[in-house]
């Protein structure tokens, strides 16, 4: 007979995976929107807006944060608190750096006059990448909450592991979406 | 009407204010006098599937009355040519049909079915609750918040007015500048989130919480339909979420996704119908499931063609995603696209036909006991077949150039949605009422309700086919004598009032039953499925001990063999129930945030959003799993 | 009970001339034929279902003597199931062939963005606007809410909207075609009967959508030329 926590965790995991499918459909719709309106028939073109340097920097930070999260995951397996701290800490740092550059990118574009209302290419770009950025921001807050709970040690180990794992799925998913953004949003107009 | 301090307000709204105040005062004093506040508080904190299901149904009935009154206004205005009934012309009329459509789809059809799923689904598959009780409460309160937001609009003289399809560019802020249509966006968005969470909950419950031995191939058809509907929701609703998000950007932040010159108005139609067509299957498949169970139950026979019934459900669901552009035949997508969507649409008739014949053959060689639920199922078959065959007629792309956006279409979809979803929900309510309340609805009043409703229904909608063919477009507030559609419309109006009258019997029936009748037995209909093994009303943790299932309709075969269902030993743990005000408060702050967006009040958006996000933290810190896992670790 | 309901409907049907079923142009005639064909096929389905439904209901309804009986479970019959899968497919195929034919015929010539203008057609520019229709003829003549066409000659319409989506509909002459801002759609038909026909906007377009009606007057070639010359 399996443990209660194990079975309830499996329920939650399945539910969360289904939720990620929902998210995937939402992003797919936004990708479709972007593809339909880009390149735009009039107004500023994507290759005039995008900047290779920022894209590379943000990508490096976010994609490697998935790697550092793996450290925390392996720490969970053997309950190595050091590894969990290290993994979560690095991921938080890299994620924050990503956020910083993302905000900087938006700010720069906007200050160059490429605001959301200019044309439908920019509108769909901001809605899509903005939604992704808000997912990252939500993930960062989630991570901080997770670390607080880890530090306080007021919840049972099994519950912490459960929460941590669910967060991992989320973070990897957000990363996968970023890969899609690189491939669909940036790559065709940068190279 | 000129009201001091407020200004010019249409008189219907003033009447609505007065009635609401009177009704609200009456309800308040009644609840206080009857000492029912405690009950209300209990329900506000509950996460139990039956109680949440009952709340869904109650709220759906309230919205049904609202939508129904809208319908009666529409029919009164259209009763005679060149009519000027009260205020319902022009924009006011547009508001009425917009709210009628939106309410009936999102705030009546959906919650009626989700409510019935909540009540019956866990009991049918031997689950002690839905997989995520807390999330279920969140779903319900989000739906309630969405419904309240949407319905509020009218009271502030700002009811949405671009049709329930919100076709752009009419629905963008260039052509409808007032906040009216923002109410639609936010109301539907918030309740749509609730629907998505419900779908997740249902799927996990069905996949992981079935009783031991209840394979998917032994699951009652209502549960199957709930599973397939939930899968459809997962794919369809996120598309709506994004479509509404983009529309919101168009309306609030100056983008032009759907504007005529720079954007693409047809793209809105694509997004809307990629959601919208699966949506009509989302609301009809559970009704099919209800009818399958009821027809089998009251024919005293196993459902005919179980396997093909399941296959047909799945096929309808699948095809449902490939037909959306049949709502757009007149857009000029080209002959290739029109032909493709015409053929796929016709194909849906095949699995639907299979279901109809299976229902007929379930009755064959059975003993058909005509009780109220069965009566609704019997009324459904011919009604839905009419809706189905007109559906095939509409699928003929070229001929649809004539039917499109005429009253023929109005008649068609009322035949399918009322004939399917609404009759199905009534059938389900009569059928499962003992499981919800422990009482049986009155048969005699039920029959009155049924016959008045059915006759009224056909009187209302049969003539509309001909009005449409005679050139009556939908969404018009009047017509002329020379249009030659007076008689058709007049009959239609009479029918509508008959339907309205039938609802009085229904409501009286519920009141009468709850007030004056005694407890129902656990198995009043001589049922076949697991929900009839547990008490009426269904207790919390009904399956203790947990039965082991070895066939379809296992309970029935145990009964006729005069045996008990065997007990299962390796029972999985139940989901954890809690009592908490968090879901209702969360819905409250999301409602506040929505108002902020509707009127563009930034501070309110920030306060609402911040408070909503705070609930994630609160939730995480008060997780009910904590105590359960702690106990486990102590062992 | 059911039959009683159909009675008034039949009376109404006989009592008035349903516009979509009394075509006055080649295009509308094709549509009417399709409507009748699909209606006939579907009535067949409906009658079969109703016969089975009423027969089974009468035969297997609970009787005083069998209230407590328990009927035997019937096994599914493969052949029955194949029958009601295959027969609808056949019916639908019968319907699909003329559907595809008509859709291709009408859609390629009457809708979509086809640019080749047919020879010897009366070319008319149709502009939809909240809440009226403007018709512009080849010689620059404009008329509001009145479309005038010569009988027996192909009318070729190019439609566009100035604001929201409208839909152009003259039930007796042709099916609908939507009218968009920023995009031209086309519709053509040959009116073959003189007379005045109702036209309406069929796509909800705002407050006075109901009032967005127009008349289509089909007159003889000579009268049409006269009319064109009038200021």
């Amino acid at each position: 007979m399996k443990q209660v926590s194990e079975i309830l965790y499996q329920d939650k995991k399945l539910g969360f995976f289904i939720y990620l499918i929902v998210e995937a459909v939402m992003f797919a719709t936004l990708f479709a929107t972007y593809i339909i309106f880009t390149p735009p028939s009039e107004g500023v073109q994507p290759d005039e807006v995008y900047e290779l340097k920022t894209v590379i920097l943000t990508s490096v930070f976010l994609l490697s944060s998935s790697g550092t999260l793996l450290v925390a995951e392996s720490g969970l397996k053997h309950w190595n608190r050091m590894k969990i701290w290290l993994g979560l800490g690095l991921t938080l740092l890299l994620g924050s750096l990503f956020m910083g550059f993302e905000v900087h990118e938006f700010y720069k574009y906007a200050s160059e006059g490429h605001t959301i209302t200019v044309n439908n290419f920019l509108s769909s770009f901001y809605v899509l990448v903005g939604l992704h950025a808000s997912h990252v921001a939500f993930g960062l807050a989630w991570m901080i909450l997770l670390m607080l709970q880890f530090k306080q040690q007021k919840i049972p180990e099994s519950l912490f592991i459960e929460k941590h794992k669910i967060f991992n799925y989320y973070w990897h998913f957000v990363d996968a979406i970023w890969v899609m953004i690189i491939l669909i949003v940036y790559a065709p107009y940068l190279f | 009407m000129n009201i001091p301090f407020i200004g010019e307000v249409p008189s219907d709204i003033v009447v609505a204010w007065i009635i609401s105040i009177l009704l609200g005062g009456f309800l308040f004093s009644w609840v206080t006098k009857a000492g029912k506040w405690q009950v209300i508080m209990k329900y506000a904190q509950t996460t139990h599937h039956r109680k949440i299901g009952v709340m869904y149904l109650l709220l759906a009935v309230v919205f049904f009355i609202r939508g129904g009154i809208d319908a009666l206004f529409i029919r009164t205005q259209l009763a005679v040519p060149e009519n000027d009934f009260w205020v319902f012309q022009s924009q006011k009329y547009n508001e009425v049909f917009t709210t009628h459509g939106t309410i009936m789809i999102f705030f009546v059809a959906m919650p009626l079915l989700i409510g019935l799923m909540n009540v019956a689904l866990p009991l049918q598959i031997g689950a002690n609750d839905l997989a995520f009780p807390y999330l279920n409460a969140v779903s319900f309160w989000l739906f309630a918040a969405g419904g309240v937001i949407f319905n509020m609009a009218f009271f502030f003289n700002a009811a949405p007015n671009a049709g329930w399809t919100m076709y752009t560019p009419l629905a963008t802020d260039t052509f409808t500048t007032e906040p009216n249509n923002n109410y639609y966006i936010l109301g539907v968005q918030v309740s749509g989130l609730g629907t998505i969470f419900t779908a997740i909950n249902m799927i996990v419950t069905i996949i992981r919480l079935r009783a031991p031995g209840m394979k998917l191939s032994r699951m009652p058809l209502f549960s199957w339909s709930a599973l397939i509907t939930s899968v459809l929701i997962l794919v369809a609703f996120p598309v709506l979420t994004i479509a509404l998000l983009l529309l919101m950007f168009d309306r609030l932040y100056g983008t032009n996704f759907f504007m005529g010159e720079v954007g693409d108005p047809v793209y809105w139609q694509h997004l809307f119908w990629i959601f919208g067509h699966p949506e009509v299957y989302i609301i009809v498949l559970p009704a099919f499931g209800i009818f399958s169970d009821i027809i089998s139950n009251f024919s005293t026979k196993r459902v005919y063609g179980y396997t093909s019934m399941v296959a047909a459900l799945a096929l309808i669901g699948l095809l449902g995603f490939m037909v959306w552009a049949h709502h757009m035949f007149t857009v000029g997508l080209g002959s290739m696209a029109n032909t493709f969507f015409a053929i796929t649409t016709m194909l849906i008739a095949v699995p639907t036909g299979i279901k109809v014949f299976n229902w007929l053959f379930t009755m064959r060689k059975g003993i058909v006991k005509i009780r109220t639920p069965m009566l609704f199922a019997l009324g459904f078959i011919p009604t839905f077949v009419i809706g189905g065959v007109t559906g095939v007629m509409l699928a003929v792309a070229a001929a649809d150039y004539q039917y499109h956006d005429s009253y023929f279409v109005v008649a068609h979809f009322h035949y399918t949605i009322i004939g399917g979803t609404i009759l199905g929900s009534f059938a389900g309510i009569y059928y499962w009422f003992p499981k919800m309340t422990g009482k049986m609805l009155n048969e005699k009043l039920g029959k009155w309700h049924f016959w008045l409703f059915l006759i009224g229904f056909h009187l209302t909608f049969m003539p509309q086919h001909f009005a449409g063919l005679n050139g009556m477009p939908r969404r018009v507030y009047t017509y002329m004598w020379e249009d030659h559609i007076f008689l058709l419309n007049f009959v239609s109006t009479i029918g509508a009032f008959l339907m309205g009258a039938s609802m009085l019997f229904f409501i009286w029936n519920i009141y009468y039953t709850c007030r004056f009748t005694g407890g129902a037995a656990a198995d009043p209909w001589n049922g076949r499925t697991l929900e009839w093994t547990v008490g009426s009303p269904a207790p919390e943790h009904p399956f203790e001990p947990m039965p082991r299932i070895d066939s379809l309709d296992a309970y029935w075969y145990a009964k006729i063999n005069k045996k008990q269902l065997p007990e299962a030993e390796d029972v999985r743990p139940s989901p954890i129930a809690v009592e908490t005000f968090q879901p209702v408060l969360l819905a409250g702050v999301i409602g506040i945030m929505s108002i902020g967006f509707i009127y563009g009040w930034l501070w309110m958006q920030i306060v609402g959003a911040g408070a909503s996000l705070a609930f994630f933290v609160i939730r995480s810190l008060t997780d009910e799993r904590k105590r359960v896992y702690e106990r486990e670790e102590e062992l | 009970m059911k039959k009683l309901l159909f009675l008034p409907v039949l009376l109404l049907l006989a009592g008035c001339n349903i516009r979509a079923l009394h075509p006055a142009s080649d295009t509308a005639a094709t549509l009417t034929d399709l409507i009748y064909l699909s209606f006939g096929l579907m009535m067949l389905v409906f009658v079969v279902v109703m016969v089975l439904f009423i027969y089974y209901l009468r035969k297997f309804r609970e009787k005083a003597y069998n209230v407590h009986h328990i009927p035997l479970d019937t096994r599914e019959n493969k052949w029955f199931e194949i029958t009601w899968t295959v027969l609808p497919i056949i019916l639908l195929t019968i319907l699909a062939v003329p559907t595809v034919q008509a859709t291709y015929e009408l859609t390629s010539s009457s809708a979509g963005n086809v640019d080749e203008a047919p020879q010897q057609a009366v070319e008319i520019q149709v502009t939809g606007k909240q809440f009226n229709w403007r018709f512009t003829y080849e010689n620059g003549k404009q008329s509001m809410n009145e479309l005038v066409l010569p009988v027996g000659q192909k009318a070729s319409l190019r439609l566009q909207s100035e604001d929201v989506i409208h839909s152009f509909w003259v039930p007796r002459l042709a099916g609908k075609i939507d009218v968009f801002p920023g995009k031209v759609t086309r519709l053509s038909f040959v009116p073959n009967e003189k007379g005045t026909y109702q036209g309406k906007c069929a796509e909800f377009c705002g407050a006075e959508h109901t009032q967005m009606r127009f008349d289509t007057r089909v007159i003889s070639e000579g009268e049409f030329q006269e009319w064109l010359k009038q200021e």
Side-chain angles (χ1 to χ4, degrees), chain A residues 1 3-5 7-8 10-11 15 18 22 26 33 36-37 117 120 123 149 154 156-158 162-163, chain B residues 132 200 204 208 234 238 242 253-254 256-257 262-263 267 571-573 620-621 623 625-626 629 632-633:
Chain A
M1 176 83 206
Q3 285 190 310
V4 174
S5 59
I7 290 174
L8 291 183
Q10 292 296 340
D11 291 350
I18 298 173
V22 170
M26 290 186 193
T33 310
I36 285 172
F37 291 119
T117 51
N120 275 335
S123 308
Q149 288 182 334
K154 275 189 187 154
E157 213 171 276
S158 50
E162 172 177 312
K163 283 170 185 277
Chain B
F132 310 113
I200 295 172
V204 176
R208 300 213 18 107
L234 284 190
I242 295 301
Y253 303 115
N256 288 304
F257 290 111
V262 280
Y267 185 50
V571 183
R572 58 153 285 160
S620 180
L621 296 178
D623 199 330
R625 290 175 182 231
K626 190 176 161 208
Y629 288 15
E632 182 184 88
E633 276 180 13

Coordinates of all heavy atoms in Angstrom, one line a residue, chain A residues 1 3-5 7-8 10-11 15 18 22 26 33 36-37 117 120 123 149 154 156-158 162-163, chain B residues 132 200 204 208 234 238 242 253-254 256-257 262-263 267 571-573 620-621 623 625-626 629 632-633:
Chain A
M1 N 0.8 -1.2 0.0 CA 0.0 0.0 0.0 C 0.9 1.2 0.0 O 1.7 1.4 0.9 CB -0.9 0.0 1.3 CG -1.7 1.2 1.5 SD -3.2 1.1 0.5 CE -3.6 2.8 0.4
Q3 N 1.9 5.2 0.2 CA 1.6 6.2 1.2 C 0.6 7.2 0.7 O 0.5 7.5 -0.5 CB 2.9 6.9 1.6 CG 3.8 6.1 2.4 CD 4.9 6.9 3.0 OE1 5.6 7.6 2.2 NE2 5.1 6.9 4.3
V4 N -0.1 7.8 1.6 CA -1.1 8.8 1.3 C -0.5 10.0 0.5 O -0.9 10.4 -0.6 CB -1.7 9.4 2.6 CG1 -2.7 10.5 2.3 CG2 -2.5 8.3 3.3
S5 N 0.7 10.4 1.0 CA 1.3 11.6 0.4 C 1.7 11.3 -1.1 O 1.5 12.1 -2.0 CB 2.5 12.1 1.2 OG 3.4 11.0 1.2
I7 N 0.3 9.2 -3.2 CA -0.9 9.1 -4.0 C -1.5 10.5 -4.3 O -1.8 10.9 -5.4 CB -2.0 8.2 -3.4 CG1 -1.5 6.8 -3.5 CG2 -3.3 8.3 -4.1 CD1 -2.3 5.8 -2.8
L8 N -1.6 11.3 -3.2 CA -2.1 12.7 -3.4 C -1.2 13.5 -4.3 O -1.6 14.3 -5.0 CB -2.3 13.3 -2.0 CG -3.5 12.7 -1.2 CD1 -3.6 13.5 0.1 CD2 -4.8 12.7 -2.0
Q10 N 0.6 12.3 -6.7 CA 0.4 11.9 -8.1 C -0.9 12.6 -8.7 O -0.9 13.0 -9.8 CB 0.2 10.4 -8.2 CG 1.5 9.6 -7.9 CD 2.6 9.8 -8.9 OE1 2.3 10.3 -10.0 NE2 3.8 9.6 -8.5
D11 N -1.9 12.7 -7.8 CA -3.1 13.5 -8.3 C -2.7 14.9 -8.7 O -3.1 15.3 -9.8 CB -4.1 13.6 -7.1 CG -4.8 12.3 -6.7 OD1 -4.6 11.3 -7.5 OD2 -5.4 12.2 -5.7
G15 N -2.9 16.7 -12.3 CA -3.7 18.0 -12.5 C -2.8 19.1 -13.0 O -3.2 19.8 -13.9
I18 N -2.0 18.7 -16.6 CA -3.1 19.1 -17.5 C -3.2 20.6 -17.5 O -3.5 21.2 -18.6 CB -4.4 18.5 -16.9 CG1 -4.3 17.0 -17.0 CG2 -5.6 19.0 -17.7 CD1 -5.5 16.3 -16.3
V22 N -3.2 23.4 -20.7 CA -4.0 24.6 -20.9 C -3.1 25.8 -21.2 O -3.4 26.5 -22.2 CB -4.9 24.9 -19.6 CG1 -5.5 26.2 -19.7 CG2 -5.9 23.8 -19.4
M26 N -2.9 28.2 -24.6 CA -2.9 29.7 -24.6 C -1.7 30.2 -25.4 O -1.9 31.1 -26.2 CB -2.9 30.2 -23.2 CG -4.2 29.9 -22.4 SD -4.1 30.7 -20.8 CE -5.5 29.9 -20.0
T33 N -1.1 34.1 -33.3 CA -1.4 35.5 -33.5 C -0.2 36.2 -34.0 O -0.2 37.0 -35.0 CB -1.9 36.2 -32.2 OG1 -2.9 35.3 -31.7 CG2 -2.4 37.6 -32.4
I36 N 0.6 35.4 -37.6 CA -0.3 36.0 -38.6 C 0.0 37.4 -38.8 O 0.0 37.9 -40.0 CB -1.8 35.9 -38.0 CG1 -2.3 34.4 -38.2 CG2 -2.7 36.8 -38.8 CD1 -3.6 34.2 -37.5
F37 N 0.4 38.2 -37.8 CA 0.6 39.6 -37.9 C 2.1 40.0 -38.2 O 2.4 41.2 -38.3 CB 0.1 40.3 -36.7 CG -1.4 40.3 -36.6 CD1 -2.0 39.7 -35.5 CD2 -2.2 40.9 -37.6 CE1 -3.4 39.7 -35.4 CE2 -3.6 40.8 -37.5 CZ -4.2 40.2 -36.4
T117 N 1.2 50.0 -29.4 CA 0.1 50.4 -30.3 C 0.6 50.7 -31.7 O -0.2 51.0 -32.6 CB -0.6 51.7 -29.8 OG1 0.4 52.6 -29.5 CG2 -1.4 51.4 -28.5
N120 N 0.5 45.8 -35.5 CA 0.1 44.5 -34.9 C 1.2 43.6 -34.6 O 1.1 42.7 -33.8 CB -1.0 43.9 -35.8 CG -2.3 44.4 -35.5 OD1 -2.6 44.9 -34.4 ND2 -3.2 44.4 -36.5
S123 N 2.2 44.7 -31.2 CA 1.1 44.3 -30.3 C 1.2 42.9 -29.9 O 1.3 42.5 -28.7 CB -0.2 44.6 -30.8 OG -0.3 45.9 -31.3
Q149 N 9.6 28.7 2.9 CA 9.0 27.5 3.6 C 10.1 26.5 3.9 O 10.1 25.8 4.9 CB 7.9 26.9 2.7 CG 6.7 27.8 2.7 CD 5.6 27.2 1.9 OE1 5.8 26.4 1.0 NE2 4.4 27.5 2.3
K154 N 8.7 24.4 8.6 CA 7.4 24.1 9.4 C 6.5 23.1 8.7 O 5.6 22.6 9.3 CB 6.7 25.4 9.6 CG 7.2 26.2 10.8 CD 6.2 27.3 11.1 CE 6.8 28.2 12.2 NZ 6.3 29.6 12.1
P156 N 6.0 19.4 6.6 CA 6.7 18.1 6.5 C 7.5 18.0 5.2 O 7.2 18.6 4.2 CB 5.5 17.1 6.6 CG 4.3 17.9 6.4 CD 4.6 19.3 6.7
E157 N 8.5 17.2 5.3 CA 9.4 17.0 4.2 C 8.7 16.6 2.9 O 8.9 17.1 1.9 CB 10.4 15.9 4.6 CG 11.8 16.1 4.0 CD 12.7 15.0 4.6 OE1 13.2 15.3 5.7 OE2 12.9 14.0 4.0
S158 N 7.7 15.6 3.1 CA 7.0 15.1 1.9 C 6.3 16.3 1.2 O 6.2 16.3 0.0 CB 6.1 14.0 2.3 OG 5.3 14.4 3.4
E162 N 6.9 17.8 -2.5 CA 5.8 17.9 -3.5 C 5.7 19.3 -4.1 O 5.7 19.5 -5.3 CB 4.5 17.5 -2.7 CG 3.2 17.8 -3.5 CD 2.0 17.4 -2.7 OE1 2.0 16.3 -2.2 OE2 1.0 18.2 -2.7
K163 N 5.8 20.3 -3.2 CA 5.7 21.7 -3.7 C 6.9 22.0 -4.6 O 6.7 22.6 -5.6 CB 5.7 22.6 -2.5 CG 4.4 22.7 -1.7 CD 4.6 23.5 -0.5 CE 3.3 23.6 0.4 NZ 2.4 24.6 0.0
Chain B
F132 N -9.6 17.6 -6.3 CA -9.1 18.8 -5.6 C -10.3 19.6 -5.1 O -10.8 20.5 -5.8 CB -8.3 19.6 -6.6 CG -7.3 18.9 -7.4 CD1 -7.4 18.7 -8.7 CD2 -6.2 18.3 -6.7 CE1 -6.4 18.0 -9.4 CE2 -5.2 17.6 -7.4 CZ -5.4 17.4 -8.8
I200 N -10.1 20.4 -15.3 CA -8.9 19.7 -14.8 C -9.3 18.8 -13.6 O -8.9 17.6 -13.6 CB -7.9 20.7 -14.3 CG1 -7.3 21.5 -15.4 CG2 -6.7 20.0 -13.5 CD1 -6.4 22.7 -15.0
V204 N -8.9 14.6 -13.6 CA -8.0 13.9 -12.6 C -8.9 13.0 -11.8 O -8.5 11.8 -11.5 CB -7.3 14.9 -11.7 CG1 -6.5 14.2 -10.6 CG2 -6.4 15.8 -12.6
R208 N -8.0 9.1 -11.8 CA -7.3 8.6 -10.6 C -8.2 8.1 -9.5 O -7.8 7.4 -8.6 CB -6.4 9.6 -10.1 CG -5.3 10.0 -11.1 CD -4.0 10.3 -10.6 NE -3.6 9.9 -9.3 CZ -2.8 8.9 -9.0 NH1 -2.2 8.3 -10.0 NH2 -2.5 8.7 -7.7
L234 N -10.6 21.8 -22.1 CA -9.1 22.1 -22.0 C -8.6 22.7 -23.2 O -7.7 23.5 -23.2 CB -8.4 20.8 -21.8 CG -8.4 20.2 -20.4 CD1 -7.4 19.0 -20.4 CD2 -8.1 21.2 -19.4
P238 N -9.0 27.8 -23.3 CA -7.8 28.6 -23.4 C -7.8 29.5 -24.6 O -7.3 30.7 -24.6 CB -6.7 27.6 -23.4 CG -7.2 26.4 -22.8 CD -8.6 26.4 -23.1
I242 N -7.5 33.7 -24.5 CA -6.6 34.5 -25.3 C -7.4 35.5 -26.2 O -7.0 36.6 -26.3 CB -5.6 33.6 -26.1 CG1 -4.7 32.8 -25.1 CG2 -4.7 34.5 -27.0 CD1 -3.9 33.7 -24.2
Y253 N -6.2 49.1 -24.3 CA -4.8 49.6 -24.5 C -4.4 50.0 -25.9 O -3.2 50.0 -26.2 CB -3.8 48.5 -23.9 CG -4.1 48.1 -22.5 CD1 -4.6 46.9 -22.1 CD2 -4.0 49.1 -21.5 CE1 -4.9 46.6 -20.8 CE2 -4.3 48.8 -20.2 CZ -4.7 47.5 -19.8 OH -5.0 47.2 -18.6
G254 N -5.4 50.2 -26.7 CA -5.2 50.8 -28.0 C -4.5 50.0 -29.1 O -4.1 50.5 -30.1
N256 N -4.7 47.1 -32.2 CA -5.7 47.0 -33.3 C -5.7 45.6 -33.9 O -5.7 45.4 -35.1 CB -5.3 48.0 -34.4 CG -5.5 49.4 -34.0 OD1 -6.7 49.7 -33.6 ND2 -4.5 50.2 -34.0
F257 N -5.7 44.6 -33.0 CA -5.7 43.2 -33.5 C -6.9 43.0 -34.5 O -6.8 42.3 -35.5 CB -5.8 42.2 -32.4 CG -4.5 42.1 -31.6 CD1 -4.5 42.6 -30.3 CD2 -3.4 41.6 -32.1 CE1 -3.4 42.5 -29.5 CE2 -2.2 41.5 -31.4 CZ -2.2 42.0 -30.1
V262 N -6.2 47.9 -40.3 CA -4.8 47.3 -40.0 C -4.9 45.9 -39.4 O -4.0 45.1 -39.7 CB -4.1 48.2 -39.0 CG1 -3.5 49.4 -39.8 CG2 -5.0 48.7 -37.9
G263 N -5.9 45.6 -38.7 CA -6.0 44.3 -38.1 C -6.8 43.4 -38.9 O -6.9 43.6 -40.1
Y267 N -10.1 37.3 -38.0 CA -9.3 36.5 -37.1 C -10.1 36.4 -35.8 O -10.0 35.3 -35.2 CB -7.9 37.2 -36.8 CG -7.0 36.4 -36.0 CD1 -6.8 35.1 -36.2 CD2 -6.4 37.0 -34.9 CE1 -5.9 34.3 -35.4 CE2 -5.5 36.3 -34.0 CZ -5.3 34.9 -34.3 OH -4.5 34.2 -33.5
V571 N -8.0 0.3 -0.7 CA -8.6 1.6 -1.1 C -7.6 2.7 -1.0 O -6.9 2.8 -0.1 CB -9.8 1.8 -0.1 CG1 -10.5 3.1 -0.5 CG2 -10.7 0.7 -0.1
R572 N -7.7 3.5 -2.0 CA -6.7 4.7 -2.0 C -7.3 5.8 -1.1 O -8.5 5.8 -0.8 CB -6.6 5.3 -3.4 CG -7.8 5.7 -4.1 CD -7.5 6.8 -5.1 NE -7.3 8.1 -4.4 CZ -6.6 9.1 -5.0 NH1 -6.2 9.0 -6.2 NH2 -6.4 10.2 -4.3
P573 N -6.4 6.7 -0.6 CA -6.9 7.7 0.3 C -7.8 8.7 -0.5 O -7.7 8.9 -1.7 CB -5.6 8.4 0.7 CG -4.6 8.1 -0.3 CD -5.0 6.7 -0.8
S620 N -0.7 28.8 0.0 CA 0.4 27.9 0.1 C 0.7 27.7 1.6 O 1.2 26.6 2.0 CB 1.6 28.6 -0.6 OG 2.8 27.8 -0.4
L621 N 0.5 28.7 2.4 CA 0.9 28.6 3.8 C -0.2 27.9 4.7 O 0.1 27.5 5.8 CB 1.1 30.0 4.4 CG 2.3 30.8 3.8 CD1 2.4 32.2 4.4 CD2 3.5 30.0 4.0
D623 N -2.0 25.2 3.5 CA -2.3 24.0 2.7 C -2.8 22.9 3.7 O -2.2 22.6 4.7 CB -1.0 23.5 2.1 CG -1.3 22.5 1.0 OD1 -2.3 21.8 1.1 OD2 -0.5 22.5 0.0
R625 N -3.0 19.9 3.2 CA -2.2 18.7 3.1 C -1.2 18.6 4.3 O -0.8 17.5 4.6 CB -1.5 18.6 1.8 CG -2.4 18.4 0.6 CD -1.7 18.4 -0.7 NE -2.6 18.3 -1.8 CZ -2.5 17.4 -2.7 NH1 -1.5 16.6 -2.8 NH2 -3.5 17.3 -3.6
K626 N -0.9 19.7 4.8 CA 0.1 19.8 5.9 C -0.2 18.8 7.0 O 0.6 17.9 7.3 CB 0.2 21.2 6.4 CG 1.4 21.4 7.3 CD 1.5 22.9 7.7 CE 2.4 23.0 9.0 NZ 2.0 24.1 9.8
Y629 N -0.1 15.1 5.9 CA 1.3 14.6 5.7 C 2.0 14.5 7.0 O 2.8 13.5 7.2 CB 2.1 15.5 4.7 CG 1.6 15.4 3.3 CD1 0.4 14.8 2.9 CD2 2.4 15.9 2.2 CE1 -0.1 14.7 1.6 CE2 2.0 15.8 0.9 CZ 0.7 15.3 0.6 OH 0.3 15.2 -0.7
E632 N 1.2 11.4 8.7 CA 1.8 10.3 8.0 C 3.2 10.1 8.4 O 3.7 9.0 8.7 CB 1.7 10.5 6.5 CG 2.3 9.3 5.7 CD 2.3 9.7 4.2 OE1 3.3 10.3 3.7 OE2 1.3 9.3 3.6
E633 N 3.9 11.3 8.6 CA 5.3 11.2 9.0 C 5.5 10.7 10.4 O 6.5 10.1 10.8 CB 6.0 12.5 8.7 CG 6.5 12.6 7.3 CD 7.2 13.9 7.0 OE1 7.6 14.6 7.9 OE2 7.4 14.2 5.8

